[in-house]
Amino acid sequence: MTRIRDRQRLHIAMFCVHSHPLGRLGTTDTGGMSVYIRQIAFELGKSGHRIDIFTRFNGLYDEEIVEISENVRLIQVEAGEKKPLNRLSLYAHLDEFSRGVEAFRLQNGMTYDLIHCHYWLSGLAGLWARHHWSKPLVITFHTVGAVKKKLSSEFNDPEIRLISERELVNSCDLVVALTELEKQEITRLYDGQLSNISVIPCGVDLQTFYPVDKTCARKSLGMSESEMILLYVGRIDPLKGLDRLLETVALLQQKVCCRLFIVGGDDSPCQEQNRLARMTKNLNIEEGVIFVGCLSQQELPHYYSAADVFVFPSYYESFGLAGLEALACGTPVVASNVGVYSQCLRNSIAGRVVLDASSESLAEKIEELFTAGKKHPVQAGSIRNTVKQYTWKRVAESLHWEYLGLVRGELGYFRANRPNGAVTQHVSVKNKHKHPQLLTQ
């Protein structure tokens, strides 16, 4: 994969404070970020790096140390009560989390080559570690607060999030953006420097997500052969645009018999799901919308394959993993112009990007894609081929080169000489900011 002389085995500390990496996907604080952390840790561990993922005890597992895969451990740290907590309340527990990480490190005689943090809360703990360990700090935001605030009137995160994200952008040794669009937003909204921001797309597990015969998939799920089946997979959140998707279903049902399956959500319906359920009644589409709840990744290929169209109507998305999963299963996608979709849907057989993402435009593109598929069926394998370059192995390889450049202080050299990586910019690292005392020592 990489020349032996460049394959330095690193010991990496990953911080994920607010979302448990082994949590149930699709619930309130567990989504694409958890998939990302699991997959890159697995791939990096498989290639010889050692990964310790530090997260908060939330009652999911009793053990302090959970062996996840080869060379990968999950370390649970006490910070607040051992139960799920609202992520906005965790800022007050970051000192406790940082002290717990340091206690574990000292008790076990650990040293780390670098720190990779996920989300802004983890980044603040990472600044503490960077200051005390004198090691490079990498951050992936996964969602950018300033963008969410711009797009949603319901953005209720505290101002400290925006202040902290700006500080992290200008203090971390490397910011990993998931798309070129995210890189530009970070640069513009937080006055970031292009020299410490790299674009590395997410991946998709092509072994887990694969095409299933549509007839067999529908039969196994009790779906009708004659209906247009639409699918959404993800968290139930106002920014996901499910309100306009329901309006889209109402428009489509005036022309065709269609049914929407919504996969995701907590065991107990949240406020947003209750609001959406009321919308189905008001739009008179209650029988045409099914809230499936959370499913395991092993169950999802049948749903993806049974659908005629996967719809992603989000107002904001840093990447959009579920769409890649659908494409890997051979199902076309109609998505708003967010995340990776403007790139992976350039090939029209794979789907459509809706620039204004209104319910009328979504309905038009869904009907267009559905009709075209009936007249000129596209093989599932052809759609799957459009995402074959998005592998987690490639993501991990690109991260390896970034890590290696940081650790050796030769980031520009390693970027310029890496084989077929995702990052294209050649720059040298700048440690131009010292750690601000955001947390108590």
Side-chain angles (χ1 to χ4, degrees), residues 76-112:
Q76 298 196 108
V77 177
E78 288 191 38
E81 296 181 71
K82 289 186 179 181
K83 67 177 185 179
L85 296 175
N86 184 297
R87 69 176 182 274
L88 299 183
S89 68
L90 294 178
Y91 179 80
H93 298 290
L94 290 179
D95 280 346
E96 186 180 356
F97 180 86
S98 298
R99 289 194 297 269
V101 171
E102 181 68 348
F104 177 87
R105 187 187 73 83
L106 293 174
Q107 288 168 8
N108 292 275
M110 296 291 178
T111 57
Y112 295 100

Side-chain angles (χ1 to χ4, degrees), residues 311-323:
V311 191
F312 206 88
S314 187
Y315 292 97
Y316 167 63
E317 197 70 33
S318 58
F319 190 78
L321 275 177

Side-chain angles (χ1 to χ4, degrees), residues 369-386:
L369 198 60
F370 178 72
T371 302
K374 291 296 182 183
K375 290 181 179 178
H376 306 287
V378 179
Q379 294 295 319
S382 297
I383 296 175
R384 177 179 170 86
N385 285 337
T386 64

Side-chain angles (χ1 to χ4, degrees), residues 151 163 250 270:
L151 293 174
I163 295 170
C270 63

Side-chain angles (χ1 to χ4, degrees), residues 359-372:
S359 53
E360 292 81 7
S361 296
L362 285 167
E364 178 186 342
K365 293 300 182 183
I366 290 168
E367 188 176 8
E368 176 186 311
L369 198 60
F370 178 72
T371 302

Side-chain angles (χ1 to χ4, degrees), residues 19-31:
S19 178
H20 201 289
L22 298 183
R24 198 173 169 206
L25 297 177
T27 54
T28 302
D29 282 327
T30 309

Side-chain angles (χ1 to χ4, degrees), residues 199-228:
V199 179
I200 303 178
C202 295
V204 61
D205 186 344
L206 295 172
Q207 291 185 318
T208 297
F209 298 100
Y210 56 90
V212 177
D213 178 77
K214 187 180 293 292
T215 300
C216 294
R218 289 196 175 188
K219 185 177 181 180
S220 69
L221 298 173
M223 296 179 182
S224 168
E225 279 293 311
S226 59
E227 290 181 319
M228 176 199 288

